[in-house]
């Protein structure tokens, strides 16, 4: 360094200039922090603030009301309940792994005898209006393919279909398994690629009601389908789409 510049006054001044520069930076940071504090910026953020407060309050209340002894007491009870619980049957066919033991068991399940069900009672038995209401609501999904008036669309018509007025087991099987491979309705051959998918997610009451509705709407007239008849054929769920050769001739 140039010795003429190395004097105590210059050092003194440089020291304070340095300190001053740091101070300016500190002030700048403070200003930025002041104006950039985590104020809610969007409506979502603003709405989240009371949510977090409420959550904090709830959590605090829960912690306060749950004593350690109570938690300890509950553990053996929960463990006993878990040990005593039994596996439940799979109700959703899509949960069954194709080719698995369960899938094989379902596919090989003996066919249910449907003779009694198909020897349907006379159609003049009065139909419960509440069942028709439920059936109409449950028909919404069918209407996407079969039309609001059962006139047909993507799928064949249900109005005047001999299958609809025919044996009950056919209808239950078609709904619980779907249908593929084509079908002749009122003398017209339909073979829609992919066929109809199973709609087995509906409850026994809903399936019975929708089939009763279809059998007694759009000019059709046939006996009601009973929930226990659907229940009797629940073992069909999970089997591949039914083919017309497997159905009872209408
Ligand atoms: C995604 C479209 C689709 C939906 C939804 C659907 N079906 Fe079908 N349905 C079809 C197709 C396609 C066929 C013909 C299958 C074939 O070509 O092999 C069919 C055939 C039928 C048949 C036999 C043929 C006939 O017209 O009589 C019945 C009965 C039937 N469906 C009832 C129902 C009922 C009841 C529902 C509602 C619970 C329903 N379908 C929902 C597409 C559908």
């Amino acid at each position: 360094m140039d010795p003429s510049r190395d004097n105590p006054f210059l050092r003194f001044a440089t020291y304070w200039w340095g300190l001053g520069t740091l101070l300016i930076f500190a002030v700048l940071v403070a200003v930025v922090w002041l104006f950039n504090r985590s104020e809610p910026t969007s409506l979502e953020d603003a709405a989240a603030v009371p949510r977090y407060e409420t959550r904090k309050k709830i959590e605090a209340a829960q912690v306060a009301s749950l004593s350690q002894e109570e938690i300890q007491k509950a553990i053996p009870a929960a463990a006993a309940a878990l040990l005593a619980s039994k596996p439940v049957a799979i109700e959703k066919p899509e949960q069954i792994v194709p080719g698995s033991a369960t899938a094989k068991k379902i596919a090989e399940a003996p066919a249910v005898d449907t003779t009694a069900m198909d020897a349907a009672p006379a159609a003049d038995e009065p139909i419960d209006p509440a069942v028709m209401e439920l059936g109409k609501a449950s028909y919404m999904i069918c209407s996407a393919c079969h039309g609001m008036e059962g006139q047909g669309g993507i799928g064949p018509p249900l109005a005047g279909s001999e299958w609809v007025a025919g044996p009950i087991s056919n209808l239950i099987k078609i709904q619980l398994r779907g249908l593929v491979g084509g079908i002749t309705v009122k003398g017209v051959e339909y073979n829609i690629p992919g066929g109809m998918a199973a709609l087995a997610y509906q409850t026994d009451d809903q399936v019975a009601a929708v089939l009763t509705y279809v059998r007694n709407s759009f000019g059709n007239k046939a006996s009601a389908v009973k929930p226990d008849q659907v229940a009797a054929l629940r073992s069909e769920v999970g089997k591949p789409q039914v083919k017309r050769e497997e159905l009872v001739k209408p």
Side-chain angles (χ1 to χ4, degrees):
M1 193 191 271
D2 177 3
S4 71
R5 288 174 63 83
D6 185 23
N7 64 65
F9 294 109
L10 241 164
R11 282 201 213 171
F12 184 77
T14 313
Y15 172 76
W16 284 110
W17 269 115
L19 217 63
T21 314
L22 276 179
L23 205 75
I24 290 169
F25 266 115
V27 168
L28 265 175
V29 166
V31 167
V32 168
W33 173 79
L34 210 74
F35 285 97
N36 213 15
R37 259 184 308 178
S38 59
E39 285 293 332
T41 48
S42 65
L43 269 176
E44 282 83 5
D45 288 345
V49 173
R51 261 209 323 273
Y52 283 130
E53 276 165 16
T54 313
R55 200 175 102 179
K56 257 192 211 146
K57 270 188 224 154
I58 292 173
E59 280 175 353
Q62 285 177 337
V63 167
S65 68
L66 248 187
S67 72
Q68 196 60 36
E69 296 95 78
E70 268 179 89
I71 297 172
Q72 293 295 338
K73 256 194 281 170
I75 290 174
L82 253 168
L83 277 174
S85 64
K86 295 203 169 58
V88 281
I90 298 168
E91 283 171 354
K92 294 188 176 153
E94 60 270 25
Q95 292 177 338
I96 299 164
V97 180
S100 66
T102 310
K104 252 182 95 184
K105 209 173 111 191
I106 290 173
E108 286 162 6
V112 178
D113 181 14
T114 59
T115 2
M117 177 185 313
D118 292 334
D124 46 19
E125 192 189 322
I127 310 280
D128 182 354
V131 170
M132 286 294 276
E133 272 304 305
L134 175 62
K136 191 174 182 179
S138 311
Y139 181 74
M140 288 326 283
I141 179 81
C142 323
S143 73
C145 298
H146 292 286
M148 272 313 285
E149 295 302 321
Q151 74 276 23
I154 300 168
L158 299 179
S161 162
E162 63 271 38
W163 295 95
V164 170
I168 287 173
S169 70
N170 287 347
L171 297 173
I172 299 174
K173 281 183 187 169
I174 289 174
Q175 181 159 355
L176 295 187
R177 291 173 56 179
L179 177 72
V180 78
I183 194 152
T184 308
V185 182
K186 295 193 280 182
V188 182
E189 167 72 12
Y190 296 88
N191 190 356
I192 287 93
M196 173 178 154
L199 293 162
Y201 69 88
Q202 292 191 343
T203 62
D204 291 348
D205 283 338
Q206 284 172 325
V207 175
V210 76
L211 295 178
T212 303
Y213 174 77
V214 166
R215 277 161 76 85
N216 290 280
S217 303
F218 331 128
N220 297 337
K221 187 90 195 79
S223 62
V225 176
K226 300 279 154 51
D228 57 315
Q229 294 174 318
V230 181
L233 281 167
R234 275 282 164 194
S235 56
E236 292 284 310
V237 177
K239 290 189 185 180
Q241 280 166 297
V242 79
K243 298 216 171 82
R244 71 178 128 188
E245 304 84 65
E246 297 172 67
L247 298 173
V248 183
K249 290 250 163 334

